[in-house]
Amino acid sequence: MINKEKTEMNNKKIEEYIKLGEYNTLEVYKEVDFGVYLRSEEENDEVLLPKRYVPAGTKIGDILEVFVYSDSEDRYVATTDKPMAVVGEFGNFEVVDTSKFGAFVDWGLPKNLFVPLSTQKRNLKKGDKVIGKIKYDEKTDRLFLDAKVGRNIEPAKGFKRNDKVEILVMAKTPLGYKVIVNNKYEGMLFDNEIFEDIKVGEKRFAYIKTNRDDGKLDCILQPIGKRQNRDNGYYKVLEKLQVIKQTPLTSKSDADEIKKEFGISKKAYKAVLQKLLKEDKIELSEDGVKLK
């Protein structure tokens, strides 16, 4: 299996030039005591892959996929570690240090990512969580995080109902959760359509419900019309009630008991009960919830 993967990688075309902040497919062309040097097609365009990241059995001529960033001395360096996000992507990061010029966040690599003061919506403190987009500054040849989300959002167009997209959950609102769709567009997940645990900062897949006239997207976590999706909290509760007919558990019951019985959070359970009530499928009493 390893040999097959290696052969497939060797058949890939190497990059024309090395790209900072991105995954690069490069050729191993020189071995040294402290690692191997990788190169692109461009003459004299090389980057070091330190010894601790070099896959076992690597030899001259092999093609490797690596992520390229800059070290503390602004030298390009390659790694087989995967960062939380790459150039052009949004992510949710923790602030690990600050200075008079900005803040630094952990993005999964040895060198932390800089967040200039000019790109902060509020002054960040150590321990804060911040959502932002990784960008490349051509003038300084450096990567940075832009935490001013609004200026990195575009009006959405061309989406069709049920298109699958990737979302980053950005913020809780009175209606549900504001999300970033495909690293470019703004969308919403509505509380009455969420039947599972969801957290600010997490990435997951969703589906387009409506491409609105204002350029924003209404999203849903399950494919529309795919009623066979039994991971949906709504169906977990409904199918369980079809078996037991009645449960003493209400939206005010202990969260651990709800989780044990139905496998969903208390918040999700409350949303499911509201939906079932609206559909006139259950009735509530002092004894709990009863299927009609």
Side-chain angles (χ1 to χ4, degrees):
M1 183 66 180
I2 294 176
N3 289 335
K4 181 182 178 183
E5 290 176 352
K6 200 167 185 180
T7 299
E8 290 175 350
M9 181 59 71
N10 282 346
N11 289 333
K12 288 188 175 182
K13 185 178 179 181
I14 66 173
E15 307 292 348
E16 291 184 16
Y17 61 93
I18 295 173
K19 305 176 184 70
L20 185 66
E22 300 182 31
Y23 289 102
N24 290 252
T25 304
L26 304 171
E27 180 185 14
V28 179
Y29 87 100
K30 183 169 63 176
E31 292 184 63
V32 291
D33 291 340
F34 43 88
V36 298
Y37 278 95
L38 310 174
R39 66 181 175 187
S40 67
E41 287 186 347
E42 187 175 293
E43 188 177 358
N44 298 322
D45 194 22
E46 65 180 34
V47 63
L48 173 69
L49 178 65
K51 190 173 185 177
R52 65 181 179 276
Y53 299 120
V54 178
T58 297
K59 61 183 185 300
I60 301 297
D62 281 352
I63 306 298
L64 300 179
E65 184 176 65
V66 295
F67 183 79
V68 177
Y69 67 106
S70 55
D71 64 14
S72 57
E73 297 181 18
D74 292 329
R75 297 171 302 191
Y76 280 23
V77 62
T79 178
T80 51
D81 284 349
K82 295 185 180 298
M84 297 174 187
V86 304
V87 164
E89 291 183 348
F90 282 93
N92 181 42
F93 310 94
E94 182 175 348
V95 178
V96 293
D97 200 3
T98 60
S99 74
K100 62 180 180 180
F101 303 109
F104 297 88
V105 297
D106 176 13
W107 62 317
L109 296 178
K111 183 187 176 186
N112 297 319
L113 186 62
F114 185 51
V115 193
L117 281 175
S118 61
T119 74
Q120 298 179 25
K121 287 184 66 175
R122 57 185 174 84
N123 286 339
L124 296 171
K125 304 184 300 296
K126 187 175 180 179
D128 284 348
K129 288 294 186 72
V130 58
I131 288 176
K133 186 174 187 177
I134 298 179
K135 290 185 173 182
Y136 170 66
D137 183 353
E138 291 186 5
K139 292 182 179 178
T140 62
D141 193 30
R142 293 178 181 175
L143 303 174
F144 69 98
L145 186 71
D146 186 352
K148 291 185 176 179
V149 173
R151 65 185 181 185
N152 293 295
I153 297 295
E154 303 174 13
K157 57 184 178 181
F159 284 95
K160 300 187 297 295
R161 186 176 173 87
N162 242 358
D163 279 350
K164 188 176 182 180
V165 294
E166 184 180 60
I167 62 170
L168 171 67
V169 183
M170 183 167 54
K172 182 74 177 76
T173 76
L175 295 177
Y177 289 88
K178 187 180 292 187
V179 300
I180 298 169
V181 180
N182 287 355
N183 291 297
K184 287 185 179 181
Y185 315 109
E186 183 177 324
M188 274 292 297
L189 291 171
F190 293 96
D191 274 337
N192 64 349
E193 295 176 328
I194 299 173
F195 305 110
E196 56 194 271
D197 291 333
I198 189 169
K199 297 178 181 177
V200 171
E202 71 175 325
K203 288 184 177 181
R204 58 196 305 162
F205 290 108
Y207 300 84
I208 300 301
K209 185 177 180 183
T210 308
N211 194 155
R212 290 161 31 186
D213 292 338
D214 63 1
K216 297 180 182 180
L217 300 163
D218 292 341
C219 302
I220 193 168
L221 293 176
Q222 299 81 28
I224 300 169
K226 301 291 185 180
R227 300 183 67 87
Q228 68 271 25
N229 186 348
R230 293 319 190 220
D231 289 332
N232 187 328
Y234 172 86
Y235 295 109
K236 287 183 179 180
V237 174
L238 181 58
E239 290 179 353
K240 185 80 173 183
L241 286 176
Q242 287 171 341
V243 175
I244 63 177
K245 306 302 180 185
Q246 187 171 338
T247 177
L249 299 177
T250 69
S251 59
K252 297 181 180 179
S253 297
D254 181 74
D256 290 337
E257 292 183 8
I258 293 171
K259 186 77 172 180
K260 182 178 179 180
E261 182 71 20
F262 295 105
I264 61 175
S265 69
K266 182 174 180 176
K267 177 184 174 183
Y269 184 61
K270 182 178 180 180
V272 170
L273 294 185
Q274 290 174 344
K275 183 173 175 62
L276 291 172
L277 273 173
K278 187 176 181 180
E279 295 174 347
D280 199 31
K281 292 182 178 178
I282 60 171
E283 58 184 29
L284 301 181
S285 68
E286 293 181 357
D287 296 325
V289 178
K290 183 178 180 180
L291 187 69
K292 285 190 176 181

